[in-house]
Amino acid sequence: MHPQIKKILVSHEEIVNKCEELGKELAKDYENEDKPLLVALLKGSIPFLSELIKHIDMDIKIDFMDVSSYEGTESVGDIKIIKDLDTSIKGVNILLVEDIVDTGQTIKTVKQTLLNKGAKSVKIVTLLDKPSRRVVDIKADYIGFEIENEFAVGFGLDYNQLYRNLPYVGVLKDECYK
Ligand code: IMP
Ligand code: MG
């Protein structure tokens, strides 16, 4: 275990097993639909995307977006697109891939942006969900693990850009925040 980690919330084995479960569910749900374009939000969702797609037995495509919220504003709908999608998504089924849904503002705004661009449908798959922190009305369609209101790192999630490479999700020791 990393010396800065206080406890593990979700082990690597649990993540892999969950990705297998989600992959099967997704393949089944899209069986009679146009196959989805997986849109992963940079950078946190990359490890989850990489693990998840190994277990999706259908012909999917992937693309990436990078967004950030404008500093000093709390208003929903105010996100800056740092990297946009490579192709048009008119009429396309989108599966948004996120590391964590926290307040829900990011995913809600991105979903609306993609619908505005003409996506046929937008579903959300997230590795982690912190429902107790929600400030907007949004729910992921596929959830890996629900966690308590604790700041999580690892498997894509960072603190000051570090710890994304940990193979598990954990909580940092209190001294790390001093
Ligand atoms: P939201 O818009 O509040 O739902 O925030 C979503 C984004 O905030 C996530 O994609 C993460 O990048 C970041 N975030 C929220 N909670 C955590 C956490 O516990 N650890 C690391 N990043 C987090
Ligand atoms: Mg993120």
Side-chain angles (χ1 to χ4, degrees):
M1 189 155 89
H2 191 287
Q4 246 75 270
I5 293 290
K6 177 166 77 176
K7 64 171 174 185
I8 292 181
L9 294 179
V10 191
S11 73
H12 185 253
E13 195 189 350
E14 287 174 307
I15 294 172
V16 174
N17 290 342
K18 183 63 77 174
C19 286
E20 198 179 332
E21 223 176 85
L22 289 172
K24 282 189 187 138
E25 201 181 337
L26 287 165
K28 193 163 157 274
D29 289 359
Y30 283 97
E31 199 176 356
N32 301 312
E33 310 288 335
D34 294 338
K35 301 303 171 254
L37 171 70
L38 272 62
V39 172
L41 296 185
L42 297 170
K43 310 173 177 105
S45 67
I46 297 306
F48 178 46
L49 175 79
S50 311
E51 188 55 49
L52 181 66
I53 57 175
K54 292 190 233 169
H55 307 281
I56 303 178
D57 189 15
M58 66 180 165
D59 293 329
I60 51 131
K61 295 179 182 174
I62 60 176
D63 203 346
F64 302 93
M65 268 181 98
D66 194 3
V67 302
S68 77
S69 47
Y70 283 105
E71 243 147 271
T73 165
E74 298 271 295
S75 64
V76 183
D78 240 3
I79 52 160
K80 181 164 64 174
I81 297 178
I82 295 161
K83 190 230 166 281
D84 209 344
L85 298 171
D86 290 344
T87 55
S88 162
I89 53 162
K90 221 175 202 18
V92 175
N93 284 331
I94 303 280
L95 180 64
L96 264 174
V97 183
E98 245 301 33
D99 50 359
I100 186 166
V101 181
D102 187 36
T103 66
Q105 298 187 80
T106 306
I107 208 73
K108 185 168 182 169
T109 310
V110 171
K111 180 176 178 176
Q112 192 53 53
T113 303
L114 299 180
L115 287 170
N116 292 347
K117 286 185 180 191
K120 184 174 168 187
S121 72
V122 179
K123 285 187 168 188
I124 299 162
V125 58
T126 185
L127 174 64
L128 304 172
D129 187 20
K130 260 193 221 173
S132 61
R133 290 259 307 161
R134 207 72 94 249
V135 300
V136 293
D137 181 28
I138 187 92
K139 201 177 179 307
D141 301 272
Y142 304 91
I143 296 164
F145 303 91
E146 214 176 275
I147 61 168
E148 299 295 315
N149 183 14
E150 272 184 300
F151 195 80
V153 297
F155 216 79
L157 293 113
D158 75 300
Y159 175 60
N160 289 341
Q161 296 303 324
L162 288 175
Y163 313 108
R164 294 192 195 276
N165 57 316
L166 299 182
Y168 49 81
V169 174
V171 179
L172 288 170
K173 289 180 180 166
D174 299 340
E175 66 207 42
C176 299
Y177 300 109
K178 276 171 198 150

